[in-house]
Amino acid sequence: MPIKKILIVDDSPTERFALMEYLVKQGFNVVTAEDGADGVQKAKTELPDLILMDVVMPGINGYQATRTISREDTTRHIPIFMCTSKDQETDKIWGMRQGANDYLTKPLDLDLLLEKIKALG
């Protein structure tokens, strides 16, 4: 199934805007959430084809939000790419254990991100 709608979950307005601009120019429909709780809620209501999840956020962090989304019946089918500045191998392993399908570190290589999105579709 081709990826059409992407949910960006990031507490940084700058990161959200830059990523949204890039993805919209690539032809994707983009929805944003500014923290983990908002991301979980929008995953349920918007049912995106892909979620790009930051890790370090206030309240519910990206690991917790990923765990919730990947274990709920209505959202478990949605692939999640963690996109974070946390670049230790243990961070990546933990993210994948929470249900992430991929783990990318910031600053994001946008060409690589696009390749990975296209590979999903």
Side-chain angles (χ1 to χ4, degrees):
M1 150 187 103
I3 303 299
K4 293 184 174 131
K5 186 193 289 188
I6 299 175
L7 170 61
I8 300 169
V9 185
D10 198 313
D11 63 324
S12 164
T14 307
E15 292 278 346
R16 277 195 317 268
F17 181 77
L19 198 47
M20 183 175 78
E21 283 267 289
Y22 174 76
L23 292 171
V24 167
K25 284 180 183 167
Q26 302 303 317
F28 297 102
N29 177 8
V30 178
V31 180
T32 62
E34 54 192 51
D35 58 39
D38 191 26
V40 169
Q41 190 56 44
K42 288 203 172 148
K44 291 177 187 175
T45 58
E46 296 285 340
L47 295 174
D49 301 313
L50 172 65
I51 299 170
L52 302 180
M53 180 76 70
D54 186 23
V55 170
V56 181
M57 296 181 285
I60 296 176
N61 68 37
Y63 294 134
Q64 294 164 314
T66 296
R67 185 170 51 244
T68 300
I69 292 165
S70 68
R71 295 190 176 146
E72 293 218 359
D73 289 341
T74 56
T75 54
R76 69 167 31 129
H77 68 283
I78 304 169
I80 301 171
F81 289 179
M82 302 213 88
C83 301
T84 178
S85 57
K86 293 179 72 66
D87 63 355
Q88 299 298 308
E89 188 62 23
T90 53
D91 298 321
K92 180 178 181 178
I93 291 167
W94 187 245
M96 300 303 274
R97 280 191 174 164
Q98 303 317 301
N101 300 76
D102 209 331
Y103 194 99
L104 305 162
T105 55
K106 293 178 184 176
L108 292 177
D109 175 336
L110 296 176
D111 292 333
L112 177 63
L113 174 62
L114 192 58
E115 271 180 44
K116 288 177 177 280
I117 292 170
K118 286 181 177 175
L120 275 179

